[in-house]
Amino acid sequence: MAVTVPATTNMWDGVLEMTKSAQIKGVDPLMWAVELSSTLLSAGVSMPSTKVAELLVSHICWSNNVPIAWKFLEKALSIRVVPPMLVLALLSNRVIPSRRSHPAAYRLYLELLKRHIFPLATEVNGSNYHKIMESIDDALHLNQIFGFHSSEPGLVLVEFLFSVVWELLDVSLDDENLLELVPEKKSLWPIKSQDMDIDDHNNYGENKVDYHQGLYKMNTITAIEIIGEIFRNKVTFRILHLARRNMPAHWGSFVQHLRLLVGNSTALRNSKDITPEALLQLTSDNRVLLSKECKTSSLQQFHAVMASGSLVSSAGQSYGACRSAIWLPIDLFLEDTMDGFVVATTSAAETLTDLLKAHQAITQASWQDTFLGLWIAALRLVQREGEAAEGPIPRLDTCLCLLLCTTTLAVGNIIDEEENALLEENDHKQMHQGNETQALGNCRKSLVSSLQQLGDFEGLLIPPSSVTSIANQAAAKAILVASGISVGSGYLDGVSLNDMPNTCAGNLRHLIVEACIARNLLDTSAYLWPGYVKGHSNQIPRNISGQMTGWSTLMKGTPLTSQMMHTLVSTPASSLAEIEKIYGIAINGTEEEKIFAATVLCGASLTRGWNIQEHTGFFIIKLLSPPIPVDYSGNESHLIVYAPLLNVLLMGISTIDCVQIFSLLGLAPHLAAVLMPLCEVFGSCPSAVSWTLPNGEHLSPLSVFSNAFILLLKLWRFHQPPLEHFMGDVTPVGSQLNPELLLLAHNYPQNNQKARRGHFSNLSSTEPIFLDSFPKLTFWYRQHQACIASTLSDLKPGTSVYQIFDALLNMMFRNTKAGQSLSHSASGSSNSCGSIPEDCASRLKLPAWEILEAVPFVLDAALTACAHGNLSPPELITGLRELAIFLPASMATVVSYLSAETTRGLWKPASMNGTDWPSPAASLAMVENNINKILSATGVDVPSLSAGGTTPTLPLPLAALVSLTITYKVDRVSESVLNLAAPALNTLGASCPWPCMAIISALWVQKAKRWTDYLIFSASRTVFHHNSNAVVQLLKMCFKSAIAQPPVFSSGCVGGLLGHGFGSHSSGGIYPVAPGILYLRVHRSVGDVMFMTEEIVSLLMHTVKDIVSTDVPPEKLKKPNGLVMRYGEVSLSAAMTRIKQAASLGASLVWLTGRLNLIQSLLKETLPSWFISGHKSDQIKGDSGGMIGMLMGYALAYFAVLSGAFGWGVEPVSLCCKKRPVILGLHLEFMASALDGKISLGCNKATWRAYVSGFVSLMVTCAPKWAMEVDVAVLKRLSRGLRKWDEEELALTLLEISGVNAMGSAAEMIVESFCLGDCILK
């Protein structure tokens, strides 16, 4: 019987009348549905219709809650007249709150839910998909509940599915009276009934209370079973996985509710379909997705190939020659940090923390292996430095600072981050569950395991002779504690530590453990580890006198005397309490005690107090910025009052090793910020002011100023040539550091660093400090920059500067015949001051800043006079020496002026003939011979130093500078001046034509024979500065040594790359220096770092070809599809191990060479250019299956991602890597455009495909936070391109990890990717 819409009514009223009529007449539901569909089509209504869905649900609830009405609805769903998801959403609003009074209706709703929630593809691919999702959001208010502001249909799909399972969960809890136990005491969803009357007068058979209650209980079981089915289904589970990833707060609440159900539900225990344990497992975070329909193999293929010979799997098995190569980036970083003339604005511990986290994420190594690799890399550094040649920069203390302070701080950062996250999680659990758990992270346990395992490496644990006593003390302490003897009250002060029995002797592991205990990373239970101590307390020798004069005596309240000061200054404090005690004396003691305390702080506690080194540096900086005394009423700066104390501190930390320790601790910017006010104040102080020291000596403002000024200048390369000497967009590391950047780092410490620094945060001022706050310093700095940039203008007679200029010249050259005429020639005027005044010294009793203003003009006049023969070279050097003695701070201007004039190339060369200028002839041949020895392993040709017996020459300004430096004695008194000039000599020697640096070294070899090896090594580096081909050859040797297997390099890998430092290690004289050491000492002076990056990429590709041709037999290159499927084969395993070593080396070199800027250039320019350009060499004979091309692509992917991880880290974006989203977005857009065919590539297709799949695979696996920052449109394009390659799983995973913005697209792809059928997880 036909059912028609009455013509007298509007469309929707007609549909409703048609339905009521069919219901009364008992029309077959299918006939009704077909007729309704035909009617709607005739009326032009698009189906499935959201309006019809609303009408039918309103029709049923509740005036027509009869079986036939539900059958009509089911048939309308079946033939797609109405959208299933919208119907389910509308029904949930109406049925669930009334489930008690209408249990049958609720049962029917559950049945419809089971039938129509899973086939989502027809819904997503339907014509009204957007309108349906909008209607669902309007009906359920999902965006309002979940806090999203987007109505993207895919996002609503995720929200809807999540709301379905959560609502069923809360309904089940409410039905069993458990909902009151949840923290919120209520549900997000409208599940509570407004009508609690269970007697229904219009239902079919529900008048029986027993049946009613039985159906009600069965509904609860059914609802719980549907939750299980939704989580079993591959499609719906994967969509819910998006909610878990991107809606953590809501998911956490959902899981709390679920656990309450699992632990208390009777209905769940009565279910025959699912158990509480199974439900909990289905929703757990550890569940693994298995996909039978997965058509892609890239993820599996990539990880299988990269794991073949995996460095990760071998990391914990052996630390022999090549197995240790996984930690090569750590070795290289630590070695690079040892450059004594480079000051960093970020602490080495912070950089190392980020490096460890990035490396661990990419390699997927365990934290135990990572920490063990860190200790071993640091110990290898100590062993190398133990054999290194002596030089002007003491390196052992710096090296031990890296091992015992930097590494433990980095490990502490990692442990603190993990445990702070656990504490936050526990606070959340406690709030919801009311129970408290201990936040002991896995990283702390991994630290313990790594240090226990470290005892197996006895050869690396031998301490340098200079710290044997300290190591013995650590071992003795452990023995005493393990024996039950208290080590308090100064017990160890009487222990004789120099002649410990072998069974009781300490090693470097004991020092590492003590450093960890001091920082609360371990407790003293470490002393009880098996094999940690081997002796007994009765074997420890004791001094007969038993006198205690050390730190314990001070802690007992004994006054700080001169005798105690001399003891404490050579003995490092072992605890924070001890160093705080000294700091308190420096603040509140008598004037004499303050001096003693300041001396102690700058002694062994700073250089070797590894357990408290960062606190010692912090206290020194605090003392350099003393508060205004309460009773101070003077007009001048309050700093004047503290001059004696400040001078002790300035002199105590003036050595280059102290400066390097401040740099390693990240305190250099804060040190600069306190030195600038000192320079401003004491540089402006009249020289007539003086202070009498306790020893009777007088201290002048010039001395205090010079000490502060010279120390400040050591914090950046003030002598650096103009930036036009550098090529490309990226300049070498450290070349840009200046006072303004130091203050910027002080004012705005990096966010991640600030979070870890604890009480160091108060070193940053509440108000920013700018260079303009110091007018005198600013004026000098601008003049200094102008002098470097261009030649000086004429000085006008009669000015105040001219008067000082004239007095300085007369003072400098008062004993020379030319002294009287210099001022005349310099001014260009005959109206001079006349004869030399006898009160020259009195005329120079001026503030230091006024004297410094005239110094450049003095130097220009003196050098000009020497060039014209009016002043002999010895007279010039004597005058410069007089100037430096009078005002040591002027040495900075001498260095910068002579450096700038050398780079300008305007002066005639000086003949180093031994008459006018010192001659290097006596040692030049030896220098040449040893340079050849040092570079013999690199294959680089060394230019001859002698050309036909001609006399060596140097540019006149450089000759003056080197001649001046060799007049100083090599002692601690002259160390400050020499360390100021040394970086400039190195820079000039490298930038001037060959063999200038060799000549400088030869002159200094004659001066300081014990530095011979160091000086010759410095000269050997210059070969690479003048020859780009030599740099390429050096890089080749770095790759060759890093991947070499014995016996090519007997020590292999790290040993082959970094060797044993440099110096004479045998009776045969100096050894060849390992290529890695050479590169790390060369790269900062190479101007075109972009060139080096391109060469590293090229060398990596050639290295892969060489490895494959060596390790994989030709027959295996012809496997189908270019893949060796038998992953256990030794050949592929060995090849992949070496390929990853090469890629790791390349990434490390790029990062160390140019840090973040160069890495960004690599991804933005270098790699895209490489792929676009043609590489015919990629086509290798015999590589018909593309095996070599594929491995090249995987190597590039590993190299690129590892480089990015080193530069950016793998955590959420912060201020330090704010460009990451931009650069990464550009790189992924390049990939997407190439996949779209918008960019033509010239590289091997197998290489390109392996690179893209490898890069994306590593990113989604190891650095998922990256994808969350990239524009979703780019990710969608890249995902579509991957799907064209049948990379369904990879494309889907990329969108899944990309955050809330990509969640909708990911959900839609999940639905598209999985076909109807068997979607149940096995």
Side-chain angles (χ1 to χ4, degrees), residues 839-852:
D839 61 341
C840 178
S842 63
R843 292 167 56 197
L844 292 174
K845 289 183 178 181
L846 299 168
W849 288 122
E850 296 181 21
I851 298 173
L852 278 181

Side-chain angles (χ1 to χ4, degrees), residues 11 19 334 361 379 423 446 785-786 851 873 951 1035 1048 1145 1300 1317:
M11 167 63 66
T19 303
L334 294 176
L379 288 168
L423 284 173
S446 298
Q785 288 182 310
I851 298 173
T951 303
L1035 285 170
V1048 178
L1145 172 64
V1300 173

Side-chain angles (χ1 to χ4, degrees), residues 925-938 940-945 1016 1020 1070 1072:
M926 182 270 292
V927 169
E928 180 178 14
N929 182 51
N930 282 338
I931 288 177
N932 279 286
K933 285 185 180 180
I934 288 174
L935 302 183
S936 61
T938 65
V940 173
D941 294 328
V942 180
S944 175
L945 299 184
I1016 295 173
S1020 69
I1070 199 166

Side-chain angles (χ1 to χ4, degrees), residues 96-103 174-175 177 191-200 212-213 216:
I96 288 178
S98 303
R99 66 190 181 282
R100 295 178 186 268
S101 56
H102 299 287
D174 187 47
D175 289 347
N177 297 318
I191 63 174
K192 290 288 187 180
S193 175
Q194 302 300 319
D195 179 12
M196 300 304 294
D197 180 15
I198 65 172
D199 292 323
D200 188 358
H212 189 110
Q213 292 292 345
Y216 181 75

